[in-house]
Amino acid sequence: MAIRIDGKAIAAAVRSDVAAEVAALKTQGIVPGLAVIIVGNDPASRTYVNNKKKACAEAGIYSEEFALPEDTTQEELLALVVSLNGRSDINGILCQLPLPPHIDDKAVIAAISPRKDVDAFHAANTGHIMIGDYTFLPCTPAGVMELLHRSGVKAEGKNCVVIGRSNIVGKPMAMLLLHENGTVTICHSRTKNLKEICAQADILVAAVGKPKFVTADMVKPGAVVIDVGMDRDENGKLCGDVDYAAVEPVAGYITPVPGGVGPMTIAMLLKNTVTAAKLQNALLTDSLGK
Ligand code: NAP
């Protein structure tokens, strides 16, 4: 039976560390501030934004929501980002994705100041991640690394397989495992022999977006299995990319869904907001420039 990595408990520990840091910053007159932009009425986005605001409040972080109508133009959204870049009480800017199809999300991400880019999606930040000299890490892969660290799992020398190559999860996930000296393979929809490659993994990260995609025959006995997926099963119930019931008896460690990677994403967002506040108050140095 696998050891279940409890993302809820680890996220609570990270959030408590963040709250302590926020309290310390407040004694110096610094209140970390996060702007959360949401465009349109996507129910999942609304839930994510509400959860992020609640988590900010619990950690003592100031958050301000900008809920814009579905027909907001790209120019209007860019103007808002520019105005937030200029506000000293806002240290982090998060624009909830996906945006409506008439808005170019790349242009919006590019408009966010790299020093306020708490999602770490701006090319300046992704470039820094590539060279291993980073200030912000994207929240979900950073959350996975925190789960590994706090569970005593080391990537060094291990075969690490990441299924998925999105800019948000798969690619940065692979880079972080590489920076910790894992031997990393990235798989995607055109990968041949996926099953055989996965079955070689000591650490297997699934970021596919397909319910119960990873089956027991894809998992090496004793492997660490990290499930990033947030999917719906045939009954509409939340599940992951891993067939938990089938894989759990084979794996050495496994994250559940819910209660695994999901809670970590918000915890790491709070951490990035505190980092942004320190950066903008000259309490940290970095290579991002002004
Ligand atoms: P995405 O942009 O849709 O990327 C999915 C990746 O999976 C793509 O690289 C795709 O390959 C690959 N893929 C699809 N079908 C495949 C197959 N049959 N075999 C191998 N690879 C396949 O998704 P994402 O944004 O990375 O998200 C992935 C999952 O993580 C989703 O369930 C999402 O909801 C979840 N997620 C969770 C959190 C969290 O906080 N827990 C945060 C972000 C995302 P191609 O590139 O070849 O198309």
mmCIF file of all heavy atoms in Angstrom, residues 15 49-59 63:
data_model
loop_
_atom_site.group_PDB
_atom_site.id
_atom_site.type_symbol
_atom_site.label_atom_id
_atom_site.label_comp_id
_atom_site.label_asym_id
_atom_site.label_seq_id
_atom_site.Cartn_x
_atom_site.Cartn_y
_atom_site.Cartn_z
ATOM 1 N N ARG A 15 0.718 27.456 4.360
ATOM 2 C CA ARG A 15 -0.097 28.663 4.586
ATOM 3 C C ARG A 15 0.165 29.255 5.969
ATOM 4 O O ARG A 15 0.139 30.480 6.138
ATOM 5 C CB ARG A 15 -1.575 28.330 4.396
ATOM 6 C CG ARG A 15 -1.908 28.240 2.914
ATOM 7 C CD ARG A 15 -3.199 27.526 2.637
ATOM 8 N NE ARG A 15 -4.342 28.259 3.125
ATOM 9 C CZ ARG A 15 -5.583 28.075 2.660
ATOM 10 N NH1 ARG A 15 -5.792 27.205 1.693
ATOM 11 N NH2 ARG A 15 -6.588 28.758 3.146
ATOM 12 N N VAL A 49 -11.330 31.677 -8.040
ATOM 13 C CA VAL A 49 -11.083 33.051 -7.570
ATOM 14 C C VAL A 49 -11.576 33.212 -6.124
ATOM 15 O O VAL A 49 -10.883 33.798 -5.283
ATOM 16 C CB VAL A 49 -11.748 34.070 -8.535
ATOM 17 C CG1 VAL A 49 -11.853 35.446 -7.904
ATOM 18 C CG2 VAL A 49 -10.958 34.133 -9.841
ATOM 19 N N ASN A 50 -12.751 32.675 -5.832
ATOM 20 C CA ASN A 50 -13.277 32.774 -4.464
ATOM 21 C C ASN A 50 -12.326 32.088 -3.474
ATOM 22 O O ASN A 50 -12.044 32.621 -2.396
ATOM 23 C CB ASN A 50 -14.658 32.118 -4.366
ATOM 24 C CG ASN A 50 -15.725 32.959 -5.034
ATOM 25 O OD1 ASN A 50 -15.489 34.110 -5.405
ATOM 26 N ND2 ASN A 50 -16.906 32.390 -5.225
ATOM 27 N N ASN A 51 -11.814 30.914 -3.875
ATOM 28 C CA ASN A 51 -10.897 30.185 -2.986
ATOM 29 C C ASN A 51 -9.612 30.970 -2.765
ATOM 30 O O ASN A 51 -9.060 31.005 -1.657
ATOM 31 C CB ASN A 51 -10.560 28.812 -3.579
ATOM 32 C CG ASN A 51 -11.755 27.868 -3.527
ATOM 33 O OD1 ASN A 51 -12.702 28.103 -2.788
ATOM 34 N ND2 ASN A 51 -11.715 26.816 -4.330
ATOM 35 N N LYS A 52 -9.129 31.616 -3.818
ATOM 36 C CA LYS A 52 -7.888 32.389 -3.701
ATOM 37 C C LYS A 52 -8.091 33.588 -2.771
ATOM 38 O O LYS A 52 -7.236 33.890 -1.934
ATOM 39 C CB LYS A 52 -7.419 32.842 -5.095
ATOM 40 C CG LYS A 52 -6.851 31.682 -5.909
ATOM 41 C CD LYS A 52 -6.645 31.999 -7.375
ATOM 42 C CE LYS A 52 -6.199 30.723 -8.113
ATOM 43 N NZ LYS A 52 -6.087 30.865 -9.563
ATOM 44 N N LYS A 53 -9.236 34.267 -2.918
ATOM 45 C CA LYS A 53 -9.518 35.437 -2.064
ATOM 46 C C LYS A 53 -9.627 35.016 -0.593
ATOM 47 O O LYS A 53 -9.120 35.682 0.308
ATOM 48 C CB LYS A 53 -10.820 36.104 -2.516
ATOM 49 C CG LYS A 53 -10.619 36.992 -3.751
ATOM 50 C CD LYS A 53 -11.913 37.420 -4.405
ATOM 51 C CE LYS A 53 -13.009 37.779 -3.459
ATOM 52 N NZ LYS A 53 -14.318 37.909 -4.146
ATOM 53 N N LYS A 54 -10.304 33.887 -0.382
ATOM 54 C CA LYS A 54 -10.492 33.400 0.998
ATOM 55 C C LYS A 54 -9.116 33.060 1.611
ATOM 56 O O LYS A 54 -8.837 33.412 2.769
ATOM 57 C CB LYS A 54 -11.388 32.151 0.945
ATOM 58 C CG LYS A 54 -11.826 31.633 2.268
ATOM 59 C CD LYS A 54 -13.021 30.694 2.100
ATOM 60 C CE LYS A 54 -13.280 29.926 3.374
ATOM 61 N NZ LYS A 54 -12.670 28.613 3.437
ATOM 62 N N ALA A 55 -8.284 32.398 0.814
ATOM 63 C CA ALA A 55 -6.957 32.012 1.321
ATOM 64 C C ALA A 55 -6.121 33.247 1.640
ATOM 65 O O ALA A 55 -5.393 33.282 2.637
ATOM 66 C CB ALA A 55 -6.248 31.134 0.290
ATOM 67 N N CYS A 56 -6.230 34.291 0.802
ATOM 68 C CA CYS A 56 -5.508 35.551 1.072
ATOM 69 C C CYS A 56 -5.953 36.121 2.411
ATOM 70 O O CYS A 56 -5.117 36.499 3.249
ATOM 71 C CB CYS A 56 -5.810 36.580 -0.019
ATOM 72 S SG CYS A 56 -4.867 36.350 -1.522
ATOM 73 N N ALA A 57 -7.274 36.181 2.608
ATOM 74 C CA ALA A 57 -7.810 36.775 3.842
ATOM 75 C C ALA A 57 -7.275 36.012 5.050
ATOM 76 O O ALA A 57 -6.846 36.618 6.046
ATOM 77 C CB ALA A 57 -9.332 36.759 3.808
ATOM 78 N N GLU A 58 -7.261 34.689 4.966
ATOM 79 C CA GLU A 58 -6.799 33.870 6.102
ATOM 80 C C GLU A 58 -5.310 34.095 6.393
ATOM 81 O O GLU A 58 -4.882 33.986 7.537
ATOM 82 C CB GLU A 58 -7.042 32.386 5.804
ATOM 83 C CG GLU A 58 -8.503 31.992 6.028
ATOM 84 C CD GLU A 58 -8.823 30.600 5.500
ATOM 85 O OE1 GLU A 58 -7.880 29.826 5.217
ATOM 86 O OE2 GLU A 58 -10.016 30.316 5.353
ATOM 87 N N ALA A 59 -4.547 34.405 5.348
ATOM 88 C CA ALA A 59 -3.100 34.606 5.552
ATOM 89 C C ALA A 59 -2.773 36.059 5.895
ATOM 90 O O ALA A 59 -1.611 36.392 6.130
ATOM 91 C CB ALA A 59 -2.340 34.182 4.295
ATOM 92 N N SER A 63 -6.454 41.429 -0.672
ATOM 93 C CA SER A 63 -6.745 41.062 -2.065
ATOM 94 C C SER A 63 -7.878 41.927 -2.591
ATOM 95 O O SER A 63 -8.755 42.355 -1.838
ATOM 96 C CB SER A 63 -7.086 39.575 -2.203
ATOM 97 O OG SER A 63 -8.385 39.320 -1.756
#
